[in-house]
Amino acid sequence: MALKIVKGSIDRMFDKNLQDLVRGIRNHKEDEAKYISTCIDEIKQELKQDNIAVKANAVCKLTYLQMLGYDVSWAAFNIVEVMSSSKFTYKRIGYLAASQCFHESTDVIMLTTNQIRKDLSSPNQYDTGVALTGLSCFVTPDLARDLANDIMTLMSHTKPYIRKKAVLIMYKVFLKYPESLRPAFPRLKEKLEDPDPGVQSAAVNVICELARRNPKNYLSLAPLFFKLMTSSTNNWVLIKIIKLFGALTPLEPRLGKKLIEPLTNLIHRIYLFFSQILHHLSAITLVCFSWLIAFLFFITVLISLSSGMPNHSASIQLCVQKLRILIEDSDQNLKYLGLLAMSKILKTHPKSVQSHKDLILQCLDDKDESIRLRALDLLYGMVSKKNLMEIVKKLMLHVDKAEGTTYRDELLTKIIDICSQSNYQYITNFEWYISILVELTRLEGTRHGHLIASQMLDVAIRVKAIRVFAVAQMATLLDNAHMLTGNTQRNGICEVLYAAAWICGEFSEHLENPMETLEAMLRPKVATLPGHIQAVYVQNAAKLFATVLKSQEGNTDSTTAQEASQLMIDRLPLFVQSANLEVQERASCILQLVKYIQKLQQKDVEVSEEVCALFAGELNPVAPKAQKKVPIPDGLDLDAWINEPPSESESEDEQPKAIFSKEEPKHSRPRHTEVDEKELARRREARKQEQANNPFYIKASPSSQKVYQETPGVEHIPVVQIDLSVPLKVPGLPMSDQYVKLEEERRQKERAEKKKKDKKKRKEKRSGRGKKHDSGPESEEDITPAHMVDIVTEEMPENALPSDDDERDPADPHKKSSKHKKKKQKREKEDKEKKKKKKHHHHHHHHGDKGGEESVQNGTVEEEEPLPRRLISVMLTFIFLFYSFDRKAYDIQGNLQDGSQVVVSVIFENKCDSFLKSMEFNVLDSLNSKLQRPEGSGPHDSLTIPFQLPPGVSNEARFVFTVQSIIMPQKLKGTLTFIVKNEESSTHEKLDFKLHFTCTSYLITTPCYSDAFAKLLESGDLKSSSIRLEGVNMPFHHLLARICFHHHFSVVERIDSCASMYSRSIQGHHVCLLVKISSQTVSVDAKCDEPTLLGNVLDEIKQTFSQC
Amino acid sequence: MQFMLLFSRQGKLRLQKWYVPLSDKEKKKITRELVQTVLARKPKMCSFLEWRDLKIVYKRYASLYFCCATEGQDNELITLEIIHRYVELLDKYFGSVCELDIIFNFEKAYFILDEFLLGGEAQETSKKNVLKAIEQADLLQERVNSVVPVHGPTSTSLSL
């Protein structure tokens, strides 16, 4: 009560506090602006008073108004006043206001330096804290320079609260004042081992951010981070460190191998962490996906560790298969994350993602644009010669449907990216591609006219065979130009006319009716196009004119030639008047030329040859890297000084092996250029705006299509009735869809022919060679281009230096893979040849010695031999990692078989050079466990594995086992039979293996809350048992992680060196553990409702720890 | 993290924190565009979107949208967790927080955020420590009863 009275009096003392202001604003919804302007007047009055409390209150209100979007920069000085109050209450408000309102160009910041320095060294840690927080928002280069030393001192403050903040803010200081990095770095490094976890995590954060910008300089810290990774208990820190290693390993591949083990140990912890986040995210059902999210995170990290992981591709493939489930889920967040992860995998393992094309295409139909964009990213890597047309067709449909221009533009660029990638590698029919490009020109309002134009030019120039077709298309395009020029100012699509005009002019010899095209290019409407396009029009009209003259050569009737000259003379004056200098100059020059020609024509002089000579010669494309490849002439040393450099004593600055020696320029330079570029873009934008608004700026008439059609006097243009409500179709242009059909037919025909040929061959040769073509899916190489296409390579200077590295575009991850593929094919070929020889050899020497031959045969498949055994041991971790998931999958499908089913996923990897087929998997059933076989098959029949394995390929097969009792571990014997097939022979092979079903594998990680756990223990239904492990030499959390990971437990509670853990069997047995550690001795007290199961699980735990 | 915005379903800004120096004009422009973009999305859609060259992660709690912008390399889930932590902190501090709490005690909301994030990085991952720091700093303040109870009939808690 007393408090309220006090408060009331304080309130009265102030005119209006923040709450009153907020309330007032809410009560004056109609005249908010007016109300606020009176409030601002009041605030101005309050700021004039001497009472700091009144001032602080006013500043607080201003901060609120600032958020609402009102300008409060006029009060900057008052904010500084409040900041410098000695009372924490006001100081806090002052700094908050400063951090919200100040930015780099606020000039009063200069006045704050001393105040901030004073606050930083204040004995009150909260004063210091508030100053640091504020500083992090408005630090300027000047402040950073002046205060760097003070903050550096604070990094060793006695209070962790201050140390933590000081370390974090150092990052901002480094950014603003890079020179501070060198002196501060040793101390920063020291903070990585700070006793306080908060400070430690802050230091990790800062170094990770620094390393992200320039990883090379931080490689030396790897051992330290390695130590942190294995000892840190903070998940946030862990994830940062793992990301940091992701950046470091490409620089030091050896790191990758070293990381595998600790990472595997961490998987479970990260899993729990992510599951917690997913739990917050939405429904509980998501939790069952959380391991997957965690796993994805790891996979993406592991991929960046590249070479480090053994059996890499197998697990990747498995992961991609699991990702599919994620993407198919109805939850949009999971879908998004799944696609994101897939695009990361695509970068390194394009093959494994390609088989999920259907799913990705499906995602393109999603309502959510975020998802569609992710799916588009993935499409890029999935195209092949075979499916390109189909994919692009689908994308074209989307282009028609798309609503927002941004998404449509994105689609357009993706279509072009996809088609043009790696030098048009996947395009088999360029006629189709040209018609796709022409169809794209019908997009209204796209920004990418220029992109389409450059593609048209590129294809027409480099693919000679396509020119006739391209020219015809471009002529139609020019004829229908009015559709593209609707509103030139906003419409970037008119850029394609640039390409169309140039192609028609340059390759005019292919034109069917050059006269008509010439007429189209000289229409008055052309004058509304942008200047650079008009210039091309004029120049190419001249080329066309030359062609017309040439075609009329020797013709006794010279009317056509004369008509052409007359047309030029009639129309060109329009361009001579152009405001664009380029257009003007070209037009007047050509006009005079034509006038002269006309004179000659009237005298019946043959002129065509001379005119054609003007445009003779072919323009070849020049490679973008041509300049770089010009060889340096002998005797020219580019590095040698022309004049002696002025002597400078810089040597003392060069310190060897400084971690951040390169840091300084890296920080400052790119930032400046970035700013410059931004600034330039801004200015450009501003200029465009200005031009658009300037009535005196001459621009093309903004008449829209509709207006154009209505205007009289355009009868000479063959306007076809256009229904604007449907997508525009340019008359006379073939649709790309037709090509898809045609292409399919063509391929079918080809295939049929090939089959015939193959049959013949087989008959002749009696070898099973052709069979491969029939059985296997149509391979890339089988598809031949529609017509012989030679893609003209870009011109290089003579004696260009060959350098492979240069060629590779680092931004294009797929290029690498295609190259790789080629190499592989080549290798395969070589191998095949070698094999042939080898086989030959065998036949000679081991003829009649069957046993000997067999051993050799075994030798050749030796690489294959250890596969199942090793796989099963290696993959067991995966199998059982995925195992719990599979159970969930059953849950979802409502196919739960009362916990008596176990799904075993086995990865088969073909490590030999031969083709493996007809694989059959069989297991000798025991009384307890039976392999589930399809209905109608006997108890000893083997299961056919539904895939074949080409060399080096791996795939996953799953087998369902019915298990009756799960309390005992057991081993099942099995065999895998398969046919090894190579060039000339095929042999039947057999492999024996054992499947080990541990009791652990029947356990499912199930989270349990501590109260439920306590109840369970109290219930008294559980039998107990215990073991002791001696000489365990690892940190406790490692130990727990190991139990969690290998034995599918989850930690219920952990207190110091004692933890309770829980797991559940598939048949619903509860297993509870109490793990304690004291000086290398671990005692595990366990309780379970099934003593035999418990005993076996404990034995397995014991074994796990005896192995390490 | 580049910035964090809190806004209502009506598009009213409730809190803004910028970790990159931008002019007021730019901030306003970004806020306006982003609020529009996020509000236009349907409730079932995913929490992530690409906007300009930033990755936007947002989540809706009752009538309030919490929206963070990060650079490309940051983990989406961690950003979501940061948002959730912040809501939890607000909830602990105000006791079943609602939009009005944040409106009327907006400076407190900032103080909590500043103890949790610094310069766009999570500075303290322990909720207990954050709240402890805030409480102690509050103790230093003279006005003891500064949190005004505002639970009226219109307030709906952010339902954690």
Side-chain angles (χ1 to χ4, degrees):
Chain A
M1 200 62 203
L3 262 178
K4 264 199 180 156
I5 293 166
V6 173
K7 188 173 173 275
S9 69
I10 292 171
D11 280 356
R12 242 171 286 126
M13 204 173 84
F14 301 147
D15 301 311
K16 198 185 271 171
N17 68 12
L18 177 67
Q19 275 78 30
D20 295 331
L21 176 78
V22 176
R23 232 169 256 138
I25 293 174
R26 291 170 74 83
N27 290 336
H28 291 77
K29 284 217 168 90
E30 300 82 38
D31 51 347
E32 194 183 286
K34 201 176 139 208
Y35 177 76
I36 288 179
S37 75
T38 55
C39 286
I40 289 184
D41 287 341
E42 276 170 29
I43 290 171
K44 280 185 179 161
Q45 288 307 313
E46 285 166 28
L47 287 175
K48 280 182 191 149
Q49 292 184 34
D50 282 334
N51 188 338
I52 191 73
V54 178
K55 263 188 194 161
N57 184 49
V59 163
C60 189
K61 287 193 277 185
L62 278 179
T63 317
Y64 187 78
L65 293 179
Q66 191 266 346
M67 183 174 69
L68 296 185
Y70 292 88
D71 177 38
V72 298
S73 54
W74 49 270
F77 186 74
N78 302 100
I79 293 174
V80 177
E81 276 183 314
V82 177
M83 274 163 73
S84 47
S85 156
S86 57
K87 287 206 172 115
F88 177 69
T89 321
Y90 308 134
K91 191 183 287 298
R92 201 182 190 190
I93 290 170
Y95 271 104
L96 174 65
S99 66
Q100 293 300 109
C101 310
F102 287 5
H103 43 85
E104 288 199 344
S105 52
T106 311
D107 39 12
V108 292
I109 285 188
M110 289 186 304
L111 306 176
T112 58
T113 317
N114 279 324
Q115 179 57 42
I116 296 174
R117 183 172 286 145
K118 211 175 108 197
D119 288 334
L120 288 181
S121 54
S122 157
N124 180 348
Q125 62 164 328
Y126 292 101
D127 279 350
T128 317
V130 144
L132 283 172
T133 311
L135 196 56
S136 73
C137 292
F138 57 78
V139 61
T140 61
D142 286 339
L143 277 180
R145 189 194 56 224
D146 296 340
L147 297 171
N149 261 328
D150 301 76
I151 301 173
M152 218 163 88
T153 325
L154 288 179
M155 280 165 73
S156 327
H157 198 271
T158 48
K159 296 261 179 26
Y161 178 79
I162 299 299
R163 288 207 300 273
K164 179 178 74 187
K165 284 180 193 274
V167 168
L168 273 178
I169 203 175
M170 254 347 241
Y171 178 62
K172 294 267 157 180
V173 173
F174 294 151
L175 288 185
K176 299 282 173 196
Y177 180 61
E179 287 84 346
S180 60
L181 181 58
R182 193 182 293 223
F185 196 79
R187 198 168 286 183
L188 186 62
K189 197 174 143 190
E190 207 178 278
K191 293 295 135 197
L192 283 176
E193 294 176 290
D194 196 276
D196 183 83
V199 182
Q200 210 180 44
S201 115
V204 170
N205 268 342
V206 171
I207 292 186
C208 285
E209 286 302 311
L210 288 173
R212 209 149 82 170
R213 288 162 177 265
N214 189 6
K216 218 166 72 197
N217 293 342
Y218 298 88
L219 212 52
S220 63
L221 290 180
L224 195 56
F225 275 107
F226 195 78
K227 207 171 99 193
L228 268 180
M229 184 169 76
T230 47
S231 64
S232 173
T233 51
N234 186 331
N235 290 325
W236 299 68
V237 172
L238 268 180
I239 286 170
K240 275 267 173 193
I241 296 178
I242 293 173
K243 285 217 131 180
L244 174 77
F245 276 124
L248 291 184
T249 31
L251 302 171
E252 178 54 271
R254 277 175 300 173
L255 257 178
K257 275 190 193 120
K258 227 182 148 193
L259 282 170
I260 296 294
E261 212 226 306
L263 277 179
T264 336
N265 285 335
L266 289 174
I267 239 182
H268 192 79
R269 263 179 65 193
I270 301 288
Y271 150 58
L272 285 177
F273 183 56
F274 277 119
S275 76
Q276 190 193 351
I277 298 177
L278 280 180
H279 184 77
H280 298 154
L281 193 61
S282 54
I284 300 170
T285 53
L286 290 184
V287 175
C288 68
F289 289 108
S290 46
W291 72 265
L292 186 51
I293 300 284
F295 195 70
L296 286 182
F297 175 75
F298 269 90
I299 282 296
T300 47
V301 172
L302 289 175
I303 287 173
S304 58
L305 306 185
S306 58
S307 61
M309 191 169 168
N311 237 349
H312 203 65
S313 58
S315 48
I316 296 282
Q317 204 157 13
L318 197 58
C319 188
V320 171
Q321 274 165 17
K322 302 293 169 186
L323 269 180
R324 198 186 161 94
I325 302 166
L326 204 69
I327 297 171
E328 278 169 343
D329 196 81
S330 59
D331 186 277
Q332 298 282 311
N333 282 325
L334 288 183
K335 206 179 265 239
Y336 182 91
L337 291 171
L339 288 169
L340 193 71
M342 234 191 215
S343 64
K344 280 179 184 160
I345 295 180
L346 180 76
K347 279 190 193 131
T348 47
H349 298 75
K351 270 234 171 102
S352 48
V353 182
Q354 267 156 9
S355 53
H356 301 284
K357 196 190 77 201
D358 57 321
L359 188 66
I360 308 300
L361 284 176
Q362 209 179 308
C363 287
L364 278 183
D365 293 322
D366 203 282
K367 281 199 194 82
D368 193 340
E369 197 178 298
S370 300
I371 302 232
R372 288 200 304 257
L373 285 174
R374 286 274 76 82
L376 267 184
D377 282 351
L378 278 167
L379 266 189
Y380 183 69
M382 319 212 126
V383 287
S384 63
K385 277 183 183 165
K386 213 172 100 190
N387 63 20
L388 177 73
M389 282 188 170
E390 182 197 338
I391 288 184
V392 171
K393 185 182 162 191
K394 184 122 195 202
L395 288 179
M396 291 299 284
L397 282 179
H398 281 284
V399 171
D400 283 342
K401 276 191 285 176
E403 287 143 16
T405 39
T406 22
Y407 180 59
R408 213 168 45 179
D409 279 354
E410 187 66 27
L411 272 169
L412 192 152
T413 40
K414 270 282 138 56
I415 291 177
I416 290 182
D417 275 358
I418 286 173
C419 292
S420 62
Q421 67 173 308
S422 19
N423 207 10
Y424 306 103
Q425 193 192 346
Y426 300 115
I427 295 183
T428 50
N429 187 337
F430 276 92
E431 280 188 19
W432 165 82
Y433 187 46
I434 292 274
S435 33
I436 285 284
L437 289 175
V438 171
E439 267 173 56
L440 285 175
T441 62
R442 282 172 227 155
L443 282 186
E444 270 194 68
T446 177
R447 293 179 289 117
H448 295 299
H450 186 72
L451 192 62
I452 303 176
S454 66
Q455 283 290 301
M456 285 175 169
L457 286 173
D458 198 34
V459 171
I461 294 169
R462 293 175 58 194
V463 187
K464 278 188 182 145
I466 201 69
R467 282 182 194 162
V468 181
F469 180 79
V471 164
Q473 291 292 302
M474 294 304 127
T476 333
L477 208 58
L478 284 179
D479 201 31
N480 295 285
H482 56 278
M483 301 166 87
L484 305 175
T485 53
N487 30 10
T488 19
Q489 282 307 313
R490 278 185 292 128
N491 208 340
I493 203 69
C494 61
E495 286 288 336
V496 295
L497 293 176
Y498 177 98
W502 191 86
I503 292 171
C504 283
E506 185 66 24
F507 307 120
S508 49
E509 69 269 21
H510 300 301
L511 270 177
E512 222 168 85
N513 198 339
M515 196 55 195
E516 234 170 60
T517 312
L518 181 63
E519 195 274 332
M521 277 167 73
L522 291 170
R523 280 175 200 159
K525 183 82 181 157
V526 172
T528 61
L529 289 170
H532 67 286
I533 300 181
Q534 283 186 53
V536 170
Y537 263 71
V538 171
Q539 184 72 14
N540 285 285
K543 289 185 198 165
L544 268 179
F545 175 63
T547 318
V548 172
L549 289 188
K550 198 179 176 194
S551 66
Q552 295 302 320
E553 183 99 310
N555 203 339
T556 44
D557 177 23
S558 62
T559 41
T560 323
Q562 279 174 7
E563 264 173 32
S565 317
Q566 195 54 46
L567 182 72
M568 295 286 277
I569 290 168
D570 287 348
R571 300 281 175 82
L572 278 175
L574 179 69
F575 297 101
V576 175
Q577 293 162 13
S578 171
N580 188 300
L581 276 183
E582 176 92 11
V583 180
Q584 204 185 74
E585 196 181 353
R586 289 188 189 208
S588 53
C589 178
I590 289 166
L591 182 62
Q592 294 312 315
L593 182 76
V594 177
K595 277 183 182 165
Y596 180 67
I597 291 169
Q598 200 182 31
K599 263 186 212 160
L600 291 176
Q601 275 177 333
Q602 278 156 2
K603 289 181 199 156
D604 272 336
V605 182
E606 292 272 311
V607 285
S608 69
E609 208 164 303
E610 279 90 345
V611 178
C612 284
L614 281 175
F615 306 108
E618 201 162 325
L619 290 174
N620 283 333
V622 177
K625 288 189 177 106
Q627 178 66 43
K628 236 203 277 179
K629 300 269 174 119
V630 176
I632 300 167
D634 283 339
L636 176 64
D637 183 3
L638 289 175
D639 293 328
W641 288 97
I642 299 173
N643 298 315
E644 275 304 304
S647 62
E648 257 181 274
S649 51
E650 266 186 342
S651 53
E652 63 204 26
D653 265 10
E654 281 172 37
Q655 287 181 3
K657 109 166 200 344
I659 301 170
F660 29 78
S661 54
K662 266 195 173 169
E663 191 61 32
E664 291 148 34
K666 277 255 161 145
H667 269 311
S668 47
R669 231 179 274 151
R671 282 189 74 77
H672 283 304
T673 54
E674 198 181 86
V675 169
D676 280 352
E677 268 164 38
K678 265 187 197 160
E679 178 66 17
L680 273 179
R682 201 184 56 75
R683 281 187 202 152
R684 216 174 291 139
E685 196 57 38
R687 198 169 54 235
K688 267 188 202 156
Q689 278 286 328
E690 204 184 14
Q691 286 174 358
N693 297 331
N694 187 353
F696 300 108
Y697 184 78
I698 300 168
K699 55 191 173 192
S701 82
S703 60
S704 73
Q705 282 176 16
K706 234 180 179 170
V707 173
Y708 181 69
Q709 275 179 53
E710 281 161 6
T711 42
V714 286
E715 307 92 304
H716 58 284
I717 304 170
V719 177
V720 186
Q721 198 57 44
I722 298 161
D723 185 1
L724 282 175
S725 63
V726 296
L728 298 172
K729 294 243 155 65
V730 179
L733 292 183
M735 294 293 296
S736 58
D737 287 3
Q738 293 171 356
Y739 284 100
V740 179
K741 252 184 229 153
L742 281 175
E743 180 71 11
E744 260 165 36
E745 280 167 23
R746 191 179 66 82
R747 281 186 197 168
Q748 224 146 30
K749 224 158 105 195
E750 244 167 45
R751 236 174 285 159
E753 269 169 29
K754 205 169 219 167
K755 253 187 203 171
K756 257 190 230 162
K757 262 189 212 161
D758 283 347
K759 262 185 199 162
K760 260 187 208 165
K761 241 190 223 164
R762 229 180 301 163
K763 266 183 200 161
E764 284 166 12
K765 278 199 158 185
R766 294 202 156 217
S767 72
R769 209 175 166 183
K771 216 173 171 185
K772 204 170 167 186
H773 290 296
D774 290 342
S775 54
E778 189 178 12
S779 66
E780 281 279 277
E781 282 61 45
D782 290 348
I783 300 169
T784 52
H787 27 71
M788 271 326 284
V789 174
D790 65 318
I791 300 178
V792 180
T793 46
E794 291 152 325
E795 221 164 56
M796 281 294 205
E798 285 170 47
N799 326 319
L801 303 166
S803 57
D804 238 3
D805 300 346
D806 255 16
E807 299 282 285
R808 199 173 291 161
D809 183 0
D812 185 357
H814 309 292
K815 220 172 198 168
K816 202 167 76 190
S817 68
S818 72
K819 250 195 182 152
H820 185 68
K821 201 172 77 195
K822 268 182 201 152
K823 253 188 214 159
K824 216 164 125 190
Q825 283 163 8
K826 204 173 152 194
R827 210 187 53 210
E828 264 168 42
K829 242 185 218 165
E830 280 168 10
D831 280 3
K832 274 179 192 169
E833 267 157 36
K834 264 188 213 159
K835 275 269 166 61
K836 254 191 217 164
K837 281 180 196 160
K838 212 174 171 184
K839 276 281 144 62
H840 211 63
H841 191 74
H842 287 330
H843 280 290
H844 269 287
H845 288 265
H846 298 282
H847 208 269
D849 184 4
K850 248 198 162 181
E853 190 181 334
E854 209 156 275
S855 71
V856 175
Q857 284 278 355
N858 272 346
T860 54
V861 264
E862 192 177 30
E863 276 173 298
E864 157 74 348
E865 197 270 333
L867 149 79
R869 208 166 297 151
R870 212 188 73 206
L871 256 184
I872 285 169
S873 63
V874 172
M875 291 317 295
L876 263 184
T877 45
F878 287 107
I879 291 167
F880 296 116
L881 192 70
F882 292 131
Y883 163 76
S884 57
F885 178 74
D886 290 326
R887 281 258 313 159
K888 296 280 190 212
Y890 278 120
D891 277 343
I892 293 161
Q893 292 161 11
N895 196 13
L896 180 67
Q897 307 253 335
D898 60 74
S900 61
Q901 276 194 352
V902 178
V903 179
V904 176
S905 309
V906 183
I907 303 256
F908 296 94
E909 187 181 0
N910 183 356
K911 298 193 135 193
C912 66
D913 291 332
S914 313
F915 196 86
L916 298 188
K917 50 178 274 186
S918 311
M919 286 189 284
E920 292 191 346
F921 178 90
N922 201 3
V923 171
L924 214 57
D925 288 349
S926 69
L927 273 177
N928 193 21
S929 313
K930 290 185 172 64
L931 175 63
Q932 276 199 356
R933 297 176 168 87
E935 266 179 65
S937 51
H940 304 296
D941 289 356
S942 42
L943 287 179
T944 313
I945 294 168
F947 50 79
Q948 301 177 330
L949 287 178
V953 172
S954 63
N955 206 339
E956 178 204 16
R958 287 198 216 161
F959 306 98
V960 182
F961 287 83
T962 328
V963 186
Q964 274 177 351
S965 160
I966 58 159
I967 58 170
M968 295 282 281
Q970 53 183 322
K971 283 178 187 160
L972 291 184
K973 274 189 185 171
T975 47
L976 183 74
T977 56
F978 49 90
I979 293 173
V980 183
K981 205 168 117 26
N982 43 35
E983 279 295 281
E984 283 158 355
S985 67
S986 56
T987 42
H988 214 89
E989 296 291 339
K990 190 181 124 185
L991 273 170
D992 293 326
F993 61 87
K994 270 180 192 163
L995 272 178
H996 191 65
F997 287 90
T998 56
C999 279
T1000 293
S1001 59
Y1002 302 123
L1003 296 183
I1004 312 162
T1005 312
T1006 322
C1008 182
Y1009 296 103
S1010 48
D1011 42 350
F1013 188 76
K1015 258 184 208 155
L1016 194 64
L1017 288 181
E1018 283 165 13
S1019 68
D1021 301 336
L1022 310 181
K1023 316 276 185 304
S1024 61
S1025 169
S1026 62
I1027 48 164
R1028 289 175 81 81
L1029 308 167
E1030 303 285 345
V1032 176
N1033 202 2
M1034 62 170 82
F1036 190 53
H1037 63 267
H1038 266 202
L1039 178 99
L1040 294 184
R1042 227 167 239 264
I1043 298 179
C1044 286
F1045 180 72
H1046 292 291
H1047 300 281
H1048 313 160
F1049 278 86
S1050 62
V1051 178
V1052 179
E1053 214 171 358
R1054 182 187 158 187
I1055 302 154
D1056 298 330
S1057 57
C1058 178
S1060 49
M1061 306 178 90
Y1062 176 79
S1063 186
R1064 224 170 88 112
S1065 80
I1066 53 170
Q1067 294 181 355
H1069 306 284
H1070 304 284
V1071 188
C1072 309
L1073 299 185
L1074 185 67
V1075 187
K1076 283 183 210 159
I1077 189 163
S1078 58
S1079 64
Q1080 299 206 354
T1081 308
V1082 179
S1083 69
V1084 182
D1085 295 308
K1087 283 191 172 182
C1088 175
D1089 34 14
E1090 176 51 64
T1092 330
L1093 176 70
L1094 183 62
N1096 287 319
V1097 169
L1098 287 181
D1099 283 347
E1100 282 161 22
I1101 291 178
K1102 208 169 183 172
Q1103 207 173 1
T1104 310
F1105 286 97
S1106 67
Q1107 279 164 4
C1108 60
Chain B
M1 192 186 290
Q2 301 236 340
F3 57 85
M4 187 184 213
L5 299 175
L6 259 69
F7 51 88
S8 70
R9 216 168 34 190
Q10 290 78 34
K12 284 240 166 69
L13 197 61
R14 295 301 181 210
L15 188 141
Q16 54 169 348
K17 192 83 201 178
W18 299 81
Y19 298 110
V20 281
L22 288 173
S23 73
D24 283 347
K25 211 171 138 198
E26 278 172 287
K27 284 182 191 172
K28 263 187 215 167
K29 189 164 170 256
I30 292 176
T31 312
R32 200 173 49 237
E33 281 180 32
L34 196 58
V35 167
Q36 265 176 12
T37 319
V38 171
L39 288 179
R41 291 173 63 83
K42 301 204 171 58
K44 273 279 168 82
M45 289 184 173
C46 67
S47 299
F48 318 106
L49 63 125
E50 265 165 44
W51 186 78
R52 298 192 183 174
D53 49 352
L54 295 176
K55 210 187 277 174
I56 308 293
V57 179
Y58 72 92
K59 185 150 168 58
R60 185 178 153 179
Y61 290 88
S63 58
L64 261 192
Y65 284 87
F66 289 70
C67 177
C68 289
T70 63
E71 287 126 86
Q73 286 152 313
D74 286 325
N75 188 309
E76 291 83 357
L77 281 175
I78 298 284
T79 315
L80 266 178
E81 179 65 5
I82 286 178
I83 292 178
H84 188 78
R85 285 265 160 134
Y86 181 50
V87 176
E88 279 181 328
L89 284 169
L90 289 173
D91 200 57
K92 281 246 171 71
Y93 184 81
F94 290 107
S96 180
V97 68
C98 70
E99 195 183 333
L100 286 177
D101 284 319
I102 297 172
I103 299 173
F104 281 99
N105 300 292
F106 89 113
E107 83 278 21
K108 296 286 179 201
Y110 277 120
F111 294 150
I112 297 173
L113 187 62
D114 285 340
E115 284 301 328
F116 177 44
L117 300 176
L118 194 128
E121 296 283 333
Q123 66 161 315
E124 182 57 69
T125 52
S126 149
K127 276 175 268 181
K128 227 169 31 189
N129 286 354
V130 175
L131 290 172
K132 210 170 77 192
I134 285 289
E135 271 160 28
Q136 283 178 353
D138 278 352
L139 275 181
L140 273 176
Q141 265 190 336
E142 290 162 336
R143 270 192 294 163
V144 185
N145 188 9
S146 52
V147 179
V148 185
V150 285
H151 291 277
T154 52
S155 61
T156 36
S157 89
L158 297 186
S159 67
L160 276 164

